[in-house]
């Protein structure tokens, strides 16, 4: 039967039932019509299939799977083919486990380095985000497994993520926060898209008709299924009207009944419901076909581990090297830090993979023939004598030819569910590095973490190798790079600031009360640092190699550009060193002069090229209309401002080597933005201090007054308030105590998991508490809220 034939045979009850999950991971079936239950599972850098009790927080055990580097690492590879290859391996493991859709990749922009979930996201740049997401989706889906592009949209913090209202001006929304999703949807056609928890400009993403229907489906041409994040549903009927198809994990039938009631009362039309149900049927049928084809499939897990090792090595970024790396053969090495034995290789939360194996750098260095000796340097718990560990490590370092310190951020410092409050590494890690560097001048640091940190000791060490969270083979990959078996080729997918105060949203992140104001507008990441003339510790696109490269002859195939056209930019790159290596040629576009708000330059293309010593290659990048366009909010369209533009070729946003100009024919629509020069003057006068924007200037950009950030005095509580909101009431206090205790019990002795659980429980809307306490039905929650308001 076809999908439409099945739809015609369904009863209203069956249609409503299909609109929500059977349990945490499975969709419902209609066996009489040949629709089986299919399984979706967490990702995105590996398979997290829970064979037993399900949860969406990484608490309960999952089946062994290859843990590839997280998105924060893989994005630094700038390697589309590598992402496709990793995606194919993930898909094979999904098929072997009879999983139909893996929940990822995450395409949210890294608005602030403080976001606790940044390790799951690719970049601060939407073009790079879209390219990396597209490649991973293609790799997974070409094997017959679906993906779920998430979290759509403007979900750029963990603090109050389920209730916060992201207040974003239209231009920033289109150019920064939606552009990566748009590119991935148009290029790779993901089977599904997952809506985010938050509100966007006043409306929850799950019921935001403009976001889901107007932009995603009508403008971008998306034809797949849209599902909620787990527990993100607010108003089920409004969500159907907005073209939200699948609620996960379901509400025990409560919202299915609401759909039927709305259908009966004429609030919801049969056509609106049928459109949603048809997409669910089509997903199930496509999944059944793939699973049938893949029967009996097996995976070469050794090959997948080798791929994870290659991916980690290709994604690592060499931040500093004063001739110390690679390590010379025959040298004695002090290997220091717990992460050298057990690397921090992935983040905490729903993406936590149960790896098939785990390799540490210390063992890998010894296997490579190095005379290596180990000292822990710092403790995994607070009960150990930290001073004695540092003294032991420094003494070992003093006896060796070189010292390697493995440090970074433990799980309790960054995780899904909460944001960091500073950019500092643990004091114990910084103290250790200082002591080892003082004991041995030939010291290098290997960093395992998910996001930028401050490096107060950077000028005291000779080398810094950034592994990010490099997956289950991160330790072995680090050894490959340190020994010279591999040449570092990663380039930063995000800027590393000199201070928290320098970051674009510093004054407004993560917002207060009910709102998160994106006052920095289009100036995310390097766009801000370049516009304000601020130095960074390490700029976007930066990365060193064990060889060197020379750029020459940037050529454009035309000197003028019109709407609908395409321009070819060609650059020649030569390896001028004595090792084979890879260079990422980055192409930026800049308007020479502009009457509107613009970043000094924006990434619009890149090519990764592998070169032998002395070898030259010419690479080509195509620039299209969007490469020169901006989003014109008054006219609600992409527009071209006329004038001279410079095409720049280089090795990073701050490493431009070549320039060439092109004349662009404009459409004149920028005249509608002229009043902003006066009304939003703050944006045109960025300085090197903190980025300050008045409420009036931001309102001019928004085109409307700012929404209130706090509840009004006496305003009643609703199902969208949190335990944090009601904790000062007697009922709320008791509920908070009970749920905190339950969260702590679930987390056990894991400090990172405990912090995540407690934070999430307190910031979860009351409507979602049933996920943790099935006895609290929606009716009981409404009654509790009624008693609090009456009290």
């Amino acid at each position: 039967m076809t999908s439409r034939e099945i739809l015609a045979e369904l009863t209203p009850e069956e249609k409503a039932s299909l609109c929500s999950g059977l349990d945490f991971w499975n969709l419902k079936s209609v066996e009489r019509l040949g629709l089986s239950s299919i399984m979706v599972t967490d990702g995105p850098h590996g398979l997290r299939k829970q064979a037993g009790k399900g949860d969406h927080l990484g608490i309960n055990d999952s089946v062994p799977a290859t843990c590839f580097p997280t998105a924060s690492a893989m994005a630094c590879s700038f390697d589309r083919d590598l992402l496709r290859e990793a995606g194919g391996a993930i898909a094979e493991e999904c098929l072997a486990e009879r999983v139909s859709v893996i929940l990822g990749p995450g395409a949210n922009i890294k608005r602030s380095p403080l976001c606790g979930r940044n390790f799951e996201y690719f970049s601060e740049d939407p073009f790079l985000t879209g390219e990396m997401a597209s490649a991973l989706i293609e790799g997974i889906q070409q094997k017959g497994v679906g993906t779920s592009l998430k979290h759509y949209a403007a979900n750029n913090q963990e603090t109050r993520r389920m209730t916060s209202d992201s207040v974003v001006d239209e231009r920033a929304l289109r150019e920064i926060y939606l552009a990566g999703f748009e590119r991935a949807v148009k290029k790779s056609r993901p089977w599904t898209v997952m809506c985010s928890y938050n509100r966007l400009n006043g409306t929850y993403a799950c019921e935001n008709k403009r976001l889901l229907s107007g932009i995603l489906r009508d403008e971008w041409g998306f034809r797949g299924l849209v599902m909620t994040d787990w527990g993100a549903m607010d108003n089920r009927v409004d969500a159907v009207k907005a073209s939200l198809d699948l609620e996960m994990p379901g509400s025990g039938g409560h919202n299915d009944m609401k759909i039927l009631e709305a259908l009966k009362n004429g609030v919801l039309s049969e056509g609106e419901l049928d459109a949603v149900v048809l997409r669910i049927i089509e997903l199930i049928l496509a999944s059944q076909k793939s699973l049938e084809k893949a029967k009996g499939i097996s995976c070469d897990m050794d090959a997948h581990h080798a791929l994870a090792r290659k991916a980690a090595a290709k994604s690592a970024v060499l931040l500093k090297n004063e001739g110390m790396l690679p390590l010379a053969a025959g040298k004695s090495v002090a290997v220091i830090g717990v992460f050298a034995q057990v690397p921090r290789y992935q983040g905490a939360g729903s993406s936590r993979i149960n790896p098939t194996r785990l390799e540490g750098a210390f063992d890998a260095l010894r296997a490579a023939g190095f005379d290596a000796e180990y000292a822990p340097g710092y403790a995994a718990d607070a009960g150990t004598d930290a001073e004695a560990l540092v003294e032991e490590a420094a003494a070992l370092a003093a006896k060796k030819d070189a010292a390697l310190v493995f440090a970074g951020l433990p799980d309790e410092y960054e995780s899904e569910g909460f944001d960091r409050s500073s950019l500092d590494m643990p004091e114990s890690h910084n103290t250790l590095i200082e002591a080892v560097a003082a004991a041995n001048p030939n010291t290098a640091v290997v960093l395992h973490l998910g996001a930028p940190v401050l490096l107060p000791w950077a000028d005291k060490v000779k080398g810094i190798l950034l592994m990010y969270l490099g997956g289950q083979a991160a330790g072995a990959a680090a050894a490959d790079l340190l020994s010279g078996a591999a040449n570092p080729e990663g380039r930063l997918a995000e800027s590393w600031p000199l201070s928290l105060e320098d970051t674009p949203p510093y004054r407004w992140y993560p917002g207060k009360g009910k709102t998160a104001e994106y006052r920095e507008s289009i100036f995310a990441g390097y766009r801000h640092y370049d516009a304000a003339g601020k130095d960074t510790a390490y700029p976007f696109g930066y990365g060193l190699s064990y060889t060197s490269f020379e750029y020459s002859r940037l050529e454009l195939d035309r000197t003028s550009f019109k709407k609908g056209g395409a321009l070819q930019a060609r650059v020649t790159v030569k390896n001028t060193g004595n090792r084979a290596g890879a260079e990422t040629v980055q192409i930026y576009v800049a308007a020479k002069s502009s009457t509107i708000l613009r970043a000094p330059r924006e990434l619009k293309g890149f090519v990764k090229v592998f070169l032998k010593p002395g070898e030259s290659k010419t690479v080509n990048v195509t620039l299209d209309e969007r490469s020169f366009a901006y989003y014109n909010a008054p006219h609600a369209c992409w527009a071209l401002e006329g004038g001279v533009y410079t095409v720049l070729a280089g090795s990073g946003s701050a490493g431009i080597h070549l320039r060439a100009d092109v004349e662009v024919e404009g459409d004149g629509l920028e005249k509608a933005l002229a009043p902003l020069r006066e009304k939003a003057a703050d944006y045109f006068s960025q300085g090197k201090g903190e980025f300050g924007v008045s409420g009036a200037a931001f309102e001019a950009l928004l085109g409307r007054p700012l929404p209130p950030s706090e509840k009004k005095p006496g305003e009643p509580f609703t199902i969208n308030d949190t335990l944090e909101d009601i904790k000062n009431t007697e009922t709320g206090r008791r509920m908070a105590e009970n749920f905190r205790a339950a969260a702590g019990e679930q987390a056990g002795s894991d400090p990172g998991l405990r912090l995540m659980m407690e934070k999430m429980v307190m910031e979860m809307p009351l409507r979602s508490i049933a996920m943790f306490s099935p006895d609290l039905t929606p009716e009981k929650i409404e009654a509790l809220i009624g008693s609090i308001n009456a009290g």
Side-chain angles (χ1 to χ4, degrees):
M1 296 177 72
T2 67
S3 57
R4 291 194 177 275
E5 288 171 341
I6 292 171
L7 177 67
E9 294 294 323
L10 290 171
T11 67
E13 290 77 15
E14 287 171 330
K15 290 178 182 179
S17 178
L18 283 172
C19 292
S20 63
L22 173 66
D23 51 31
F24 248 87
W25 303 119
N26 295 281
L27 276 63
K28 292 171 185 168
S29 64
V30 183
E31 297 294 344
R32 71 180 183 86
L33 296 176
L35 291 180
S36 302
S37 175
I38 63 169
M39 187 176 200
V40 304
T41 64
D42 274 325
H45 53 273
L47 172 68
R48 190 177 83 89
K49 177 188 175 183
Q50 292 180 308
K53 186 177 180 182
D55 71 83
H56 67 301
L57 301 174
I59 300 170
N60 296 308
D61 290 338
S62 56
V63 300
T66 305
C67 180
F68 287 92
T70 62
S72 62
M74 290 281 272
C76 296
S77 73
F78 279 72
D79 191 331
R80 300 173 181 89
D81 290 338
L82 181 67
L83 271 290
R84 291 188 191 99
E85 191 176 2
I90 291 169
E92 288 175 4
E93 295 185 24
C94 287
L95 291 171
E97 289 289 343
R98 313 296 288 170
V99 168
S100 295
V101 177
I102 189 162
L103 305 178
N108 297 98
I109 292 297
K110 297 183 179 184
R111 181 183 173 220
S112 167
L114 294 179
C115 176
R117 207 170 182 179
N118 271 358
F119 60 84
E120 273 193 62
Y121 304 138
F122 292 110
S123 179
E124 67 190 24
D125 181 80
F127 181 84
L128 179 59
T129 291
E131 288 294 295
M132 295 293 97
S134 295
L136 186 61
I137 291 167
E138 289 165 7
I140 294 171
Q141 293 191 169
Q142 68 184 0
K143 294 287 181 82
V145 174
T147 58
S148 194
L149 183 65
K150 63 182 186 182
H151 306 89
Y152 182 72
N155 173 201
N156 307 99
Q157 64 192 57
E158 291 300 284
T159 303
R160 301 184 309 278
R161 65 176 179 167
M162 297 187 78
T163 57
S164 181
D165 181 9
S166 297
V167 183
V168 194
D169 71 272
E170 187 67 12
R171 189 170 165 206
L173 182 66
R174 295 295 192 133
E175 292 186 18
I176 305 298
Y177 298 100
L178 294 186
F181 286 97
E182 179 184 5
R183 179 165 288 272
V185 165
K186 289 180 175 179
K187 283 192 72 172
S188 61
R189 301 185 180 277
W191 286 14
T192 79
V193 167
M194 182 191 293
C195 80
S196 56
Y197 286 119
N198 54 288
R199 292 179 172 100
L200 174 57
N201 290 327
T203 305
Y204 276 108
C206 68
E207 59 202 39
N208 195 316
K209 189 168 186 176
R210 180 167 179 266
L211 186 68
L212 301 183
S213 185
I215 296 175
L216 178 63
R217 296 195 188 279
D218 297 343
E219 289 187 30
W220 299 350
F222 179 66
R223 296 293 176 260
L225 176 144
V226 178
M227 68 174 74
T228 65
D229 202 341
W230 267 232
M233 182 58 72
D234 178 42
N235 185 306
R236 188 61 183 105
V237 175
D238 286 349
V240 172
K241 287 177 170 290
S243 82
L244 186 290
D245 306 305
L246 178 65
E247 177 187 10
M248 289 300 287
S251 61
H254 178 79
N255 280 334
D256 299 349
M257 291 302 298
K258 285 190 174 182
I259 291 173
L260 286 172
E261 289 170 12
L263 195 62
K264 181 179 179 181
N265 297 333
V267 174
L268 189 66
S269 72
E270 185 177 7
E272 288 172 319
L273 179 58
D274 282 356
V276 163
V277 175
L278 183 64
R279 289 188 287 263
I280 297 170
I281 295 169
E282 288 171 344
L283 175 66
I284 294 173
L285 292 179
S287 299
Q288 288 179 172
K289 183 178 178 181
S290 290
L291 292 175
E292 179 64 28
K293 186 178 178 181
K295 271 186 178 178
I297 189 174
S298 60
C299 298
D300 185 342
M301 302 307 277
D302 289 337
H304 288 184
H305 180 76
L307 175 57
R309 183 171 180 168
K310 180 177 80 170
K314 286 180 170 291
S315 302
V317 183
L318 184 61
L319 296 178
K320 180 177 182 179
N321 188 23
E322 294 182 351
M324 179 181 167
L325 300 176
L327 296 169
K331 297 290 185 181
S332 61
V333 184
V335 180
I336 295 165
V338 173
F339 286 174
Q341 289 273 34
V342 184
R344 179 156 181 262
Y345 60 97
Q346 65 176 332
S350 61
S351 66
R352 189 187 289 254
I353 311 299
N354 179 15
T356 57
R357 68 182 82 167
L358 196 59
E359 290 182 312
F362 174 64
D363 290 338
L365 285 166
R366 287 175 64 88
F370 284 94
D371 174 14
E373 192 173 344
Y374 170 77
Y378 50 83
D381 58 74
T384 309
D385 186 343
E387 187 175 341
L389 290 174
V390 171
E391 290 175 356
E392 176 194 21
L396 176 63
K399 298 188 299 182
K400 301 296 183 180
D401 296 323
L404 300 172
V405 182
F406 290 74
L409 292 176
D411 272 350
E412 60 267 29
Y413 273 67
E414 55 178 350
S415 168
E416 178 181 354
F418 63 87
D419 296 316
R420 289 190 289 163
S421 58
S422 82
L423 296 179
D424 296 330
M425 284 170 54
E427 181 76 21
S428 59
H429 290 225
N430 285 332
T431 299
L432 172 67
I433 294 167
E434 296 266 5
V436 171
N440 189 326
N442 291 315
T443 293
V445 176
V446 181
L447 293 171
H448 292 280
L449 36 69
V453 293
L454 302 182
L455 307 176
W457 36 260
D459 61 348
K460 299 176 183 177
V461 300
K462 287 192 173 178
I464 304 173
L465 178 63
L466 172 63
M467 299 302 298
Y468 273 105
L469 300 179
Q472 68 182 49
D480 291 340
L481 293 160
L482 294 166
S483 67
N487 191 348
E489 57 189 65
R491 303 294 182 260
L492 288 177
E494 61 186 323
S495 308
W496 276 51
L498 287 168
S499 72
L500 179 59
E501 291 77 12
D502 283 347
T503 60
Y506 168 67
R507 291 190 178 187
W508 315 290
Y509 190 90
K512 59 181 181 178
K514 299 191 296 182
T515 62
E517 296 178 2
Y518 287 50
R519 290 201 191 191
E520 70 277 10
S521 186
I522 62 170
F523 294 103
Y526 69 88
R527 289 165 169 80
H528 164 67
Y529 299 116
D530 291 347
K534 286 183 180 178
D535 291 332
T536 55
Y538 304 102
F540 176 86
Y542 168 86
L544 301 176
S545 171
Y546 293 152
T547 190
S548 54
F549 302 96
E550 179 181 271
Y551 286 62
S552 63
R553 298 198 308 274
L554 170 59
E555 299 173 342
L556 307 183
D557 72 341
R558 63 191 61 207
T559 57
S560 62
F561 183 91
K562 294 182 179 181
K563 187 178 180 69
L567 180 152
Q568 304 299 319
R570 297 184 184 88
V571 186
T572 300
V573 186
K574 180 178 182 180
N575 183 342
T576 56
N578 56 13
R579 285 175 177 264
E583 172 67 325
T584 297
V585 179
Q586 300 164 45
I587 300 296
Y588 296 81
V589 170
K592 271 204 165 179
S593 68
S594 175
T595 62
I596 66 173
L597 206 59
R598 297 196 89 136
R601 65 189 66 89
E602 296 181 300
L603 181 72
K604 296 300 178 180
F606 61 87
V607 177
K608 192 165 191 175
V609 57
F610 297 86
L611 298 167
K612 297 174 183 177
E615 183 181 13
S616 295
K617 285 183 181 178
T618 297
V619 299
N620 184 78
V621 171
T622 301
L623 300 176
D624 59 14
E625 184 180 325
R626 280 289 289 272
S627 302
F628 301 94
Y630 69 96
Y631 192 81
N632 188 301
H635 288 280
C637 67
W638 290 93
L640 284 175
E641 183 185 21
V644 177
Y645 287 71
T646 302
V647 177
L648 310 106
S651 51
S653 65
I656 302 302
H657 304 305
L658 301 169
R659 294 170 170 80
D661 290 346
V662 60
E663 182 81 29
V664 173
E665 182 180 297
D667 50 32
L669 297 182
E670 67 273 7
K671 294 173 185 175
L673 302 175
L676 291 178
R677 278 210 163 265
E678 180 181 347
K679 294 180 178 180
D682 291 352
Y683 288 97
F684 293 88
S685 57
Q686 288 189 55
K688 291 192 176 184
E690 290 177 17
F691 189 2
V693 174
S694 68
F698 187 41
E699 285 183 337
L701 231 56
L702 279 174
R704 64 183 185 280
L706 287 169
S709 61
E710 304 288 350
K711 288 177 77 75
K712 297 174 184 176
E715 185 178 345
F717 294 108
T718 72
I719 58 172
N720 286 320
D721 285 305
T722 66
L723 283 177
E724 185 68 34
D725 295 327
I726 67 170
K727 69 179 182 182
N728 292 327
T729 69
E730 183 57 32
T731 300
R733 181 186 61 78
R734 290 198 305 270
M735 287 178 67
E737 287 176 356
N738 291 338
F739 276 95
R740 271 196 186 122
E745 188 175 328
Q746 270 192 296
S749 60
D750 185 326
L753 187 55
R754 178 180 291 271
L755 183 57
M756 177 188 74
M757 289 288 295
E758 289 183 358
K759 194 79 169 166
M760 289 180 68
V761 161
M762 293 304 293
E763 294 184 350
M764 183 176 293
L766 299 175
R767 61 176 158 79
S768 298
I769 281 179
M771 279 204 303
F772 288 92
S773 181
D775 292 337
L776 274 178
T777 63
E779 291 78 13
K780 288 181 180 179
I781 291 170
E782 291 279 10
L784 279 169
I785 294 169
S787 68
I788 292 172
N789 287 329

